[in-house]
Amino acid sequence: MADTPDLGKLWKQLTDNVGGGMSEALDKLKKSSIGEQVQSWIGKGENKPVNADQVTQAIGQDQMEQIAQQAGTTPEQAAQTMAEKLPGMVDKMTPDGQLPNPQSIRDNVAGAAQNTQNAATSTAQTAMPRSNPTPPAM
């Protein structure tokens, strides 16, 4: 059985396959058979669930196979992960009930990557034994 694929990789493959980024990917999903559910994820209120078959139907079998292959998993596992995690991810990306502008998304992603890198550097520095500092020259 394949490990659960990373939602970030699946999302990247989805946006790459659709082209144009998050807005276009969500537009495609909103115009699909799961449009009502996708709208509930974006809007305020309860996130309506979807299942793996619905996600596959919405994205298309061929695209799901391509996304899964590029993410290193099976189409079934990719669809299952998307069905479980997309509602919460989209909900968090749209806290005001609407899509943020693309620049703020890029800024948030860049900021998150920088924070992760800073945290890793800080952790590495904390974990390294400290040598005796050289006394200041007088």
Side-chain angles (χ1 to χ4, degrees):
M1 185 165 135
D3 289 335
T4 302
D6 178 82
L7 181 61
K9 287 180 184 176
L10 294 173
W11 181 252
K12 180 183 180 334
Q13 295 309 322
L14 174 61
T15 57
D16 287 353
N17 276 295
V18 171
M22 182 182 87
S23 295
E24 287 75 7
L26 289 175
D27 281 344
K28 176 182 172 98
L29 292 174
K30 283 195 305 189
K31 293 174 184 172
S32 74
S33 57
I34 61 170
E36 185 179 331
Q37 290 94 324
V38 174
Q39 192 58 51
S40 78
W41 309 340
I42 295 170
K44 296 181 179 186
E46 181 182 349
N47 294 327
K48 294 182 179 179
V50 292
N51 64 42
D53 290 338
Q54 290 172 307
V55 171
T56 299
Q57 183 181 7
I59 293 172
Q61 183 66 41
D62 291 343
Q63 276 196 313
M64 183 59 76
E65 288 176 10
Q66 189 174 8
I67 289 166
Q69 181 181 15
Q70 292 167 338
T73 190
T74 65
E76 296 78 16
Q77 189 61 54
Q80 184 62 42
T81 298
M82 287 181 172
E84 290 172 2
K85 302 201 175 182
L86 271 180
M89 183 186 87
V90 172
D91 184 56
K92 287 179 182 164
M93 291 188 323
T94 58
D96 298 322
Q98 59 187 353
L99 293 174
N101 71 49
Q103 184 59 48
S104 71
I105 295 168
R106 283 190 288 274
D107 292 347
N108 288 340
V109 169
Q114 184 63 41
N115 288 341
T116 301
Q117 183 178 11
N118 289 345
T121 302
S122 175
T123 302
Q125 288 173 346
T126 303
M128 292 180 0
R130 298 187 186 262
S131 61
N132 292 333
T134 305
M138 289 199 210

